[in-house]
Amino acid sequence: MNDYIVEMRHITKRFPGIIANNDVSIGIRKGEVYALLGENGAGKSTLMSMLFGMYEPDGGEILVKGKPVAFHSSTDAAACGIGMVHQHFKLVEPFTIAENIVLGTEPEEKKLGILPWVNIRKANRQISELSRTYGLEVNPTDRITDVPVSVRQRVEILKMLYRSAEIMIFDEPTAVLTPQEIDFLLKIIDNLRNGGKTIILITHKIAEIKRIADRCAILRQGRLIDVCDVAETSVQELADLMVGRQVQFTQEKTAPDFREPVLEVQHLTVKNEHRFDVVKDVSFSIRGGEIFAIAGVSGNGQGEIADAVAGLAKAASGRVLLNGKDITGLSVRDRCLAGLSYIPEDRQETGVIPDMTLQENLALREYYKPPFSRKGILHGEAFRSYADKLIGTYDIRCAQGPDTVLRSMSGGNQQKAIIGREIEEQSALIIFVQPTRGLDIGAIENIHRQILRERERGAAILLISLELEEIMALADTIGVLYRGELLKTEAAEKMSTQEVGRYMMGVRKA
Ligand SMILES: Nc1ncnc2c1ncn2[C@@H]1O[C@H](COP(=O)(O)OP(=O)(O)OP(=O)(O)O)[C@@H](O)[C@H]1O
Ligand SMILES: [Mg+2]
């Protein structure tokens, strides 16, 4: 006997064209935080999906509490005390929080002794209790559509607790959170561990692993490379092990070469569906060759600014000019034709069509023009060769080349595909919202290099990021957004990280 609560022995999983997991063996001890680190596409989500019963391994065996198990569904895994918060949340949008949590395990009662009836009041009460115990505040009657990502994640965690999970898998839980929310989540994870839960944490952020994990397994191209004791391994060592080469944490930036203004935003006000001003009288301009970064805590209006510039949200008042032309009233496609590229925050919802292939997704900006379409006829060869080119340039890892269905690609590689598609347009203005969210450090290195190359080309770049480090590394000019207002706009070299952080909290005098 050993002290492992979970053991995965010689696990192999193949998908068409790729071995996602190749003879992987890991053992996880009860009550530890076990991290999984690896490049985008290394096989982390696949390995954990097997432990959660969503896929069955092609080879190898899984033991839970010393007993071999064969899960055919996640219901089987849940019955064994395993829970998982997925990289892309699995919630039913029109349902309430409580309905989502109890879904599949509804406390059913019989009215008048015969009529089956779900006692949602009782469920609401139980959920409120759980959320109080673990400090996971939610309002059970809110609908998922109306709540932000941080709350959605709490719902996913409550779902596991409601099912009394002992082994909790978190797949990149911090990728969608702000620094404050990350702090909070790491504390929750610590609480869960202290309460005897076993945690498996997939993350690209080595700092988080250093902070919270006991041990860390490193995967590369489907294989287990090493399992380290976190306290005894340095950040650089972990990074190098993961990528298989020396990682450069910062990029060289050339001296600025600013040109004419490309984007001018004048007195922009955007209202949300409740007629509340989420962007208030915001004005700024971005020159060619300039990276203008908007810093701010999530939910202060940055997404709405990006959407209003790109045409996905309506400006209640104010104007947006692109190369001197008023585009405020134009459709999204007309704005694109006027020279705008957009990497949106929610890549699954607005960035791609998950059920189409990679080559179709890569041509979404161009498919109706030659060489892709001539006289109304689509030309497959053009799609394919264009996709081949982008796959190379942007290091998009895909099992079946241009024919890979986008949904089957790893999260980070979907992101690389969108970025490649939008950069390739050579637009005058490129809007990047959280461009490196969920990417491994090797990929971040690559994307940052691409953004700087676009700046050198003379593009105007609007960068919206919650990562202060990313902003400080790339920006020429920083605008700090607080409650919908641009509190401070300043050349990046004149502001320290601490100052930006203070403005982000709404402190006007530094
Ligand atoms: N359902 C599927 N069908 C086909 N291929 C798949 C499927 N799921 C995963 N893959 C492939 O298996 C490989 C491993 O993917 P996985 O999602 O496990 O990576 P990951 O380590 O979680 O990456 P990321 O950090 O980007 O999320 C990838 O090449 C991916 O394209
Ligand atoms: Mg993954």
Side-chain angles (χ1 to χ4, degrees), residues 15 18 20 40-46 55 87 172 204 408 410-412:
F15 289 116
I18 199 163
N40 296 123
K44 306 175 297 289
S45 296
T46 304
Y55 298 132
Q87 196 165 0
E172 290 190 43
H204 288 296
S408 77
S410 82

Side-chain angles (χ1 to χ4, degrees), residues 15-16 18-21 38-47 55 87 171-172 202 204 219 397-400 404 407-413 438-440:
F15 289 116
I18 199 163
I19 304 181
N21 289 143
E39 290 184 286
N40 296 123
K44 306 175 297 289
S45 296
T46 304
L47 189 65
Y55 298 132
Q87 196 165 0
D171 194 349
E172 290 190 43
I202 300 178
H204 288 296
L219 291 178
R397 315 243 173 121
C398 45
Q400 293 160 296
T404 313
R407 190 187 289 288
S408 77
M409 286 168 45
S410 82
N413 282 295
L439 294 190
D440 69 59

Side-chain angles (χ1 to χ4, degrees), residues 164-186:
S164 324
E166 291 171 66
I167 301 152
M168 300 185 165
I169 308 166
F170 288 84
D171 194 349
E172 290 190 43
T174 60
V176 292
L177 301 182
T178 65
Q180 288 80 355
E181 291 166 342
I182 291 173
D183 261 354
F184 183 77
L185 176 72
L186 294 183

Side-chain angles (χ1 to χ4, degrees), residues 266-312:
Q266 302 172 343
H267 304 292
L268 177 70
T269 295
V270 182
K271 292 184 188 293
N272 66 7
E273 71 268 36
H274 306 300
R275 311 285 308 147
F276 180 77
D277 289 355
V278 280
V279 176
K280 295 176 200 154
D281 192 21
V282 163
S283 300
F284 62 92
S285 88
I286 313 179
R287 293 162 285 184
E290 179 179 6
I291 299 179
F292 184 97
I294 295 185
V297 175
S298 160
N300 275 278
Q302 43 276 77
E304 287 82 358
I305 291 182
D307 279 350
V309 174
L312 294 172

